[in-house]
Amino acid sequence: QHALDCKKGGLVKKGHDQLRDECSRLAEAAWGGVRIEPIIKEACGRLKEDLRADFCVRGVWEGDRLAFFDNCIIDADAPSRIQRNTSWKTALNAAAKMKKDKYKKLCEDIRSSITPLACTTDGILHREFHAFIKRLSVRLASKWEKPYSQTMGWVKVRIQFAIIRAIDLRVRGSRKKVW
Protein backbone atom coordinates (compact mmCIF):
# COMPACT_ATOMS: atom_id res chain seq x y z
CA GLN A 1 0.00 0.00 0.00
CA HIS A 2 2.83 2.37 0.86
CA ALA A 3 4.41 1.86 -2.56
CA LEU A 4 1.24 3.09 -4.26
CA ASP A 5 0.96 6.19 -2.08
CA CYS A 6 4.61 7.21 -1.64
CA LYS A 7 5.74 10.15 -3.77
CA LYS A 8 9.45 9.68 -3.00
CA GLY A 9 11.90 8.80 -5.74
CA GLY A 10 9.94 9.97 -8.77
CA LEU A 11 8.26 6.63 -9.41
CA VAL A 12 4.79 8.15 -9.53
CA LYS A 13 5.90 10.50 -12.33
CA LYS A 14 7.58 7.66 -14.25
CA GLY A 15 4.44 5.56 -13.94
CA HIS A 16 2.31 8.52 -15.00
CA ASP A 17 4.53 8.88 -18.07
CA GLN A 18 3.94 5.20 -18.98
CA LEU A 19 0.23 5.89 -19.43
CA ARG A 20 0.83 9.25 -21.12
CA ASP A 21 3.20 7.71 -23.64
CA GLU A 22 0.83 4.87 -24.52
CA CYS A 23 -2.13 7.22 -24.97
CA SER A 24 -0.07 9.57 -27.10
CA ARG A 25 1.24 6.69 -29.28
CA LEU A 26 -2.32 5.54 -29.93
CA ALA A 27 -3.45 9.12 -30.66
CA GLU A 28 -0.50 9.54 -33.04
CA ALA A 29 -1.59 6.43 -34.93
CA ALA A 30 -5.16 7.75 -35.15
CA TRP A 31 -4.78 11.47 -35.81
CA GLY A 32 -1.09 12.31 -36.05
CA GLY A 33 0.51 15.54 -34.91
CA VAL A 34 0.60 14.70 -31.21
CA ARG A 35 2.61 17.05 -28.98
CA ILE A 36 3.93 15.78 -25.65
CA GLU A 37 3.69 18.13 -22.64
CA PRO A 38 2.46 21.19 -24.54
CA ILE A 39 2.44 24.50 -22.68
CA ILE A 40 -1.08 25.82 -22.11
CA LYS A 41 0.03 28.94 -20.23
CA GLU A 42 3.54 30.22 -19.71
CA ALA A 43 4.81 31.22 -16.28
CA CYS A 44 4.11 34.85 -15.39
CA GLY A 45 2.93 36.79 -12.35
CA ARG A 46 1.45 34.42 -9.75
CA LEU A 47 2.00 31.38 -11.98
CA LYS A 48 5.51 30.22 -11.01
CA GLU A 49 5.77 27.38 -13.55
CA ASP A 50 4.42 26.77 -17.04
CA LEU A 51 1.04 25.07 -17.02
CA ARG A 52 1.35 21.93 -19.14
CA ALA A 53 -0.98 19.16 -20.23
CA ASP A 54 0.31 15.64 -20.89
CA PHE A 55 -0.32 15.72 -24.63
CA CYS A 56 -2.48 17.44 -27.22
CA VAL A 57 -4.00 16.41 -30.54
CA ARG A 58 -5.89 18.39 -33.15
CA GLY A 59 -9.29 17.14 -34.30
CA VAL A 60 -10.26 14.61 -31.64
CA TRP A 61 -13.56 16.12 -30.49
CA GLU A 62 -14.18 18.78 -33.12
CA GLY A 63 -12.86 19.30 -36.64
CA ASP A 64 -9.75 21.45 -36.30
CA ARG A 65 -9.94 22.22 -32.58
CA LEU A 66 -6.99 21.43 -30.35
CA ALA A 67 -7.71 18.92 -27.56
CA PHE A 68 -5.49 18.77 -24.48
CA PHE A 69 -5.32 15.62 -22.36
CA ASP A 70 -4.04 15.22 -18.82
CA ASN A 71 -3.96 11.83 -17.14
CA CYS A 72 -3.75 10.73 -13.54
CA ILE A 73 -3.66 7.38 -11.81
CA ILE A 74 -5.24 7.44 -8.37
CA ASP A 75 -5.25 4.85 -5.64
CA ALA A 76 -8.94 4.48 -4.81
CA ASP A 77 -8.02 2.13 -1.95
CA ALA A 78 -5.75 4.63 -0.20
CA PRO A 79 -6.16 4.68 3.59
CA SER A 80 -7.29 8.32 3.53
CA ARG A 81 -10.14 7.45 1.13
CA ILE A 82 -11.13 4.41 3.16
CA GLN A 83 -11.23 6.48 6.37
CA ARG A 84 -13.49 9.03 4.68
CA ASN A 85 -15.60 6.20 3.20
CA THR A 86 -15.05 7.49 -0.35
CA SER A 87 -16.04 5.14 -3.18
CA TRP A 88 -13.83 4.59 -6.22
CA LYS A 89 -16.41 6.34 -8.40
CA THR A 90 -16.36 9.44 -6.18
CA ALA A 91 -12.56 9.41 -6.13
CA LEU A 92 -12.40 9.21 -9.95
CA ASN A 93 -14.94 12.00 -10.36
CA ALA A 94 -13.01 14.19 -7.90
CA ALA A 95 -9.72 13.59 -9.73
CA ALA A 96 -11.30 14.43 -13.09
CA LYS A 97 -13.00 17.53 -11.67
CA MET A 98 -9.72 18.72 -10.18
CA LYS A 99 -8.01 18.44 -13.59
CA LYS A 100 -10.90 20.22 -15.32
CA ASP A 101 -10.93 23.04 -12.77
CA LYS A 102 -7.19 23.52 -13.21
CA TYR A 103 -7.23 23.77 -17.03
CA LYS A 104 -10.74 24.57 -18.25
CA LYS A 105 -10.65 28.38 -18.16
CA LEU A 106 -7.22 28.56 -19.80
CA CYS A 107 -8.21 26.09 -22.51
CA GLU A 108 -11.39 28.02 -23.26
CA ASP A 109 -9.33 31.20 -23.60
CA ILE A 110 -7.31 29.60 -26.41
CA ARG A 111 -10.40 27.92 -27.91
CA SER A 112 -9.41 24.38 -27.11
CA SER A 113 -10.70 21.60 -24.86
CA ILE A 114 -9.32 19.67 -21.90
CA THR A 115 -10.06 16.02 -21.25
CA PRO A 116 -8.91 14.43 -17.99
CA LEU A 117 -7.84 10.81 -18.44
CA ALA A 118 -8.33 9.61 -14.87
CA CYS A 119 -8.09 5.97 -13.82
CA THR A 120 -7.53 3.95 -10.68
CA THR A 121 -4.61 1.70 -9.84
CA ASP A 122 -7.06 -1.19 -10.36
CA GLY A 123 -7.57 -0.17 -14.01
CA ILE A 124 -11.01 1.41 -13.69
CA LEU A 125 -11.36 4.28 -16.16
CA HIS A 126 -13.32 7.51 -15.71
CA ARG A 127 -16.17 8.09 -18.18
CA GLU A 128 -14.21 10.73 -20.09
CA PHE A 129 -11.34 8.28 -20.50
CA HIS A 130 -13.88 5.78 -21.91
CA ALA A 131 -15.16 8.43 -24.33
CA PHE A 132 -11.60 9.07 -25.53
CA ILE A 133 -10.99 5.34 -26.03
CA LYS A 134 -14.22 5.00 -28.01
CA ARG A 135 -13.34 7.94 -30.26
CA LEU A 136 -9.81 6.56 -30.68
CA SER A 137 -11.11 3.08 -31.54
CA VAL A 138 -13.59 4.40 -34.11
CA ARG A 139 -10.84 6.38 -35.80
CA LEU A 140 -8.35 3.49 -35.80
CA ALA A 141 -10.97 0.98 -36.99
CA SER A 142 -11.85 3.11 -39.99
CA LYS A 143 -8.20 3.88 -40.72
CA TRP A 144 -7.08 0.24 -40.52
CA GLU A 145 -10.32 -1.16 -42.01
CA LYS A 146 -10.77 -3.50 -39.03
CA PRO A 147 -13.93 -4.24 -37.04
CA TYR A 148 -14.65 -1.72 -34.29
CA SER A 149 -14.99 -4.43 -31.63
CA GLN A 150 -11.58 -5.87 -32.47
CA THR A 151 -9.93 -2.45 -32.47
CA MET A 152 -11.65 -1.46 -29.21
CA GLY A 153 -10.43 -4.65 -27.53
CA TRP A 154 -6.88 -4.02 -28.76
CA VAL A 155 -6.90 -0.40 -27.53
CA LYS A 156 -8.29 -1.39 -24.12
CA VAL A 157 -5.59 -4.03 -23.70
CA ARG A 158 -2.87 -1.50 -24.59
CA ILE A 159 -4.24 0.98 -22.04
CA GLN A 160 -4.60 -1.68 -19.33
CA PHE A 161 -1.03 -2.87 -19.87
CA ALA A 162 0.21 0.73 -19.60
CA ILE A 163 -1.60 1.01 -16.26
CA ILE A 164 -0.11 -2.31 -15.13
CA ARG A 165 3.40 -1.12 -16.09
CA ALA A 166 2.83 2.14 -14.19
CA ILE A 167 1.67 0.36 -11.04
CA ASP A 168 4.39 -2.29 -11.31
CA LEU A 169 6.98 0.48 -11.46
CA ARG A 170 5.57 2.02 -8.27
CA VAL A 171 5.51 -1.31 -6.43
CA ARG A 172 8.74 -2.90 -7.68
CA GLY A 173 10.84 0.14 -8.61
CA SER A 174 13.77 1.26 -6.51
CA ARG A 175 13.29 4.39 -4.40
CA LYS A 176 16.97 4.67 -3.72
CA LYS A 177 18.64 7.67 -5.33
CA VAL A 178 21.45 6.65 -7.65
CA TRP A 179 23.35 9.96 -7.76
Side-chain angles (χ1 to χ4, degrees), residues 70-90:
D70 199 51
N71 68 334
C72 70
I73 304 172
I74 63 164
D75 182 14
D77 299 327
S80 61
R81 289 193 177 94
I82 292 172
Q83 288 170 356
R84 287 182 279 152
N85 200 21
T86 305
S87 71
W88 58 268
K89 191 177 264 188
T90 306

Side-chain angles (χ1 to χ4, degrees), residues 100-110 114:
K100 278 229 177 197
D101 291 345
K102 182 177 180 181
Y103 295 108
K104 188 175 182 183
K105 175 76 171 103
L106 296 170
C107 286
E108 286 175 353
D109 289 346
I110 59 172
I114 180 71

